[in-house]
Amino acid sequence: MDTKVTAIVEHIKDRLFSKEMKESISSVSTLLEKLTKFDKEAKEYSSPLFLLIAVVRQIQDLDLNKVQHALGQPTLPPSRVFSHKRYGGYALNVYAASWAMSSESAAKTMSVDEDEVLMTHFKDTDGVHCPKFMLFKDSDEQAIVLAIRGTFSFKDVITDVICEETPFLGGFAHKGFLNGANKIMDLVEDTLIQTLKENPDFKFVVSGHSMGAGTAELIYLDYTLGPRRSRLSPDLEIECLALAPPPIFRSNSDLPEQVKSNIHIYVFNNDLVPRLSLGNVAKLLAIIRRLDDLEIPIYNLVSILSNRISEDEEEILRKIRAAILEVKQETFPYLDHPGNIFHLRRFEDNIRIFKAEPFSFSQSILILENMIVDHLQGSYEEGLQALPVPPPTY
């Protein structure tokens, strides 16, 4: 791209896009670059990539109620919402706990007594990487909780998500997350089994945020449907609370409803990560390639982005929409979300909760403002706090 075109693109960025939207489009560009090793065409773009992504975003800018297939506001018992907030808090607080200088400080960060902490893994040893976690008792809730930390860098999230799948429970799972889940289960299993024997009325809860959430879901599935289930009591209640997980699993048959109903997935507003999978990114790349093949002049792209739509641009928009609808991506299967999704949506200064279909997140990437910021821990803290439910009386 020559200097003149670069200058035009930079001017368009500053004139037409907010800081948040520029960040969103830049992150999508990074995603597509990460897919290079899977990109069979791997050719240079005729038009500036930023403009191509921005035009796709313009086409996608539809009513979110229609695009995301919201099912309406769920009715959850106050005790259930309270426990979701509590376990979600553990998933977020484990970030700070992992920085603690002592076990006492880590326990305080998680709001549990130090003698209820069963195991922590916040530093790798022997050069073997394992997701960071804390295993502890929540006596008030009568639960053994495994809280798994996500990664600190959004760039790491992008790198981790673009990964191939591997066979799991008669279907397929994200290979990287499954490796991490197996490492955690190998470390905690003896302690978990012994503690559950000593506390037969306790349930087992796995929670996490971001990459930690995806790992938590696979641990839940393995202990519910996998060979590890036989190592636990058949009467044991198991739950998973996942904040902002990417799609991590696809099954060749429907999961039992009882299994799905105990995976509680929360997505905050425009968060990108619950839409990130190799299949989804490959589809977006195919859309961008198809748009580039149309060889639309830059001045027409700029007019569309500026909403200065002449008859020529109207015809171009029709061609773009038709081209996007024609795109099929069949090289990489689409991973899915294996549980119930509660979508925390922002409406001006108000946050409301909706139940959403898993496929509305796992089948496409929407390029939305704040889709990076909405993934951060602070956003999920805000979302959970917006659920005004009084605590139960113990």
Side-chain angles (χ1 to χ4, degrees):
M1 189 162 56
D2 62 36
T3 305
K4 183 176 180 181
V5 173
T6 300
I8 292 173
V9 172
E10 292 303 316
H11 178 71
I12 292 168
K13 288 181 182 179
D14 293 336
R15 286 289 302 275
L16 299 182
F17 299 100
S18 66
K19 176 184 175 182
E20 291 76 16
M21 181 47 70
K22 284 189 286 186
E23 183 181 28
S24 295
I25 294 176
S26 176
S27 294
V28 171
S29 179
T30 300
L31 272 173
L32 298 180
E33 290 168 4
K34 292 290 183 183
L35 199 66
T36 300
K37 65 178 180 178
F38 300 107
D39 185 4
K40 293 181 179 179
E41 294 186 51
K43 64 180 182 180
E44 292 292 324
Y45 294 98
S46 301
S47 299
L49 181 57
F50 184 94
L51 294 187
L52 295 173
I53 297 171
V55 169
V56 171
R57 185 261 173 182
Q58 189 97 335
I59 301 298
Q60 289 181 341
D61 193 15
L62 304 170
D63 186 336
L64 286 179
N65 287 311
K66 178 180 179 181
V67 172
Q68 296 182 182
H69 308 283
L71 300 181
Q73 293 184 279
T75 55
L76 293 172
S79 60
R80 175 57 64 91
V81 179
F82 175 78
S83 66
H84 287 189
K85 293 176 70 170
R86 188 181 186 95
Y87 300 137
Y90 292 144
L92 299 173
N93 290 340
V94 74
Y95 283 93
S98 69
W99 305 331
M101 301 301 292
S102 67
S103 58
E104 179 185 5
S105 178
K108 185 176 181 180
T109 300
M110 298 294 283
S111 301
V112 299
D113 294 334
E114 186 178 3
D115 61 2
E116 294 203 315
V117 177
L118 303 171
M119 181 183 294
T120 60
H121 180 86
F122 294 145
K123 291 183 180 179
D124 291 323
T125 58
D126 301 325
V128 178
H129 174 71
C130 176
K132 309 305 178 284
F133 66 84
M134 176 185 282
L135 182 71
F136 57 93
K137 292 168 62 177
D138 181 343
S139 295
D140 288 340
E141 285 283 298
Q142 290 194 299
I144 308 300
V145 180
L146 175 59
I148 306 169
R149 197 195 77 187
T151 53
F152 289 109
S153 166
F154 194 83
K155 290 184 178 179
D156 289 343
V157 174
I158 291 175
T159 300
D160 291 344
V161 164
I162 305 302
C163 181
E164 296 177 281
E165 60 183 31
T166 191
F168 178 63
L169 299 181
F172 294 87
H174 184 288
K175 186 176 181 179
F177 292 151
L178 185 58
N179 286 340
N182 282 325
K183 289 176 182 178
I184 292 176
M185 288 185 285
D186 288 342
L187 287 172
V188 307
E189 193 162 276
D190 289 345
T191 301
L192 174 64
I193 291 172
Q194 182 60 36
T195 307
L196 287 170
K197 285 181 179 178
E198 295 168 357
N199 300 272
D201 294 331
F202 278 40
K203 61 184 175 181
F204 176 41
V205 179
V206 199
S207 70
H209 167 259
S210 187
M211 305 299 96
T215 305
E217 289 177 340
L218 293 178
I219 290 174
Y220 167 87
L221 289 174
D222 205 342
Y223 276 124
T224 303
L225 297 173
R228 293 180 188 264
R229 183 67 178 116
S230 62
R231 304 172 196 176
L232 304 177
S233 167
D235 299 323
L236 176 66
E237 180 183 352
I238 308 176
E239 285 188 55
C240 177
L241 194 290
L243 305 179
I248 47 83
F249 178 69
R250 65 182 179 92
S251 178
N252 294 327
S253 58
D254 288 340
L255 291 174
E257 189 57 39
Q258 181 62 32
V259 172
K260 292 191 291 185
S261 66
N262 281 323
I263 302 180
H264 317 294
I265 299 169
Y266 280 80
V267 176
F268 184 77
N269 208 40
N270 293 337
D271 186 358
L272 169 65
V273 171
R275 301 180 183 280
L276 282 185
S277 70
L278 183 56
N280 270 355
V281 178
K283 182 177 180 180
L284 180 60
L285 176 64
I287 289 171
I288 296 295
R289 290 288 189 201
R290 183 71 185 90
L291 175 56
D292 194 42
D293 288 343
L294 296 178
E295 297 185 345
I296 300 168
I298 289 179
Y299 66 84
N300 289 124
L301 295 177
V302 173
S303 294
I304 290 171
L305 294 174
S306 304
N307 287 316
R308 296 196 301 267
I309 311 297
S310 66
E311 289 185 6
D312 288 343
E313 276 80 37
E314 287 285 2
E315 179 60 28
I316 290 171
L317 279 172
R318 282 192 287 272
K319 289 181 179 179
I320 293 174
R321 288 191 178 97
I324 289 176
L325 288 174
E326 290 174 357
V327 170
K328 305 295 181 185
Q329 190 288 116
E330 299 175 341
T331 304
F332 304 103
Y334 295 90
L335 292 174
D336 206 349
H337 292 284
N340 294 315
I341 295 182
F342 301 100
H343 192 186
L344 299 165
R345 300 256 312 268
R346 188 191 297 280
F347 293 87
E348 297 180 353
D349 294 329
N350 184 31
I351 295 173
R352 294 162 58 191
I353 182 172
F354 294 85
K355 192 173 181 183
E357 290 282 11
F359 74 82
S360 66
F361 287 92
S362 60
Q363 293 294 311
S364 64
I365 289 178
L366 297 183
I367 305 166
L368 303 168
E369 195 163 34
N370 295 317
M371 66 185 191
I372 309 304
V373 172
D374 285 347
H375 180 68
L376 303 181
Q377 298 102 285
S379 296
Y380 277 84
E381 288 174 359
E382 179 187 3
L384 292 176
Q385 288 301 317
L387 302 176
V389 178
T393 302
Y394 294 112

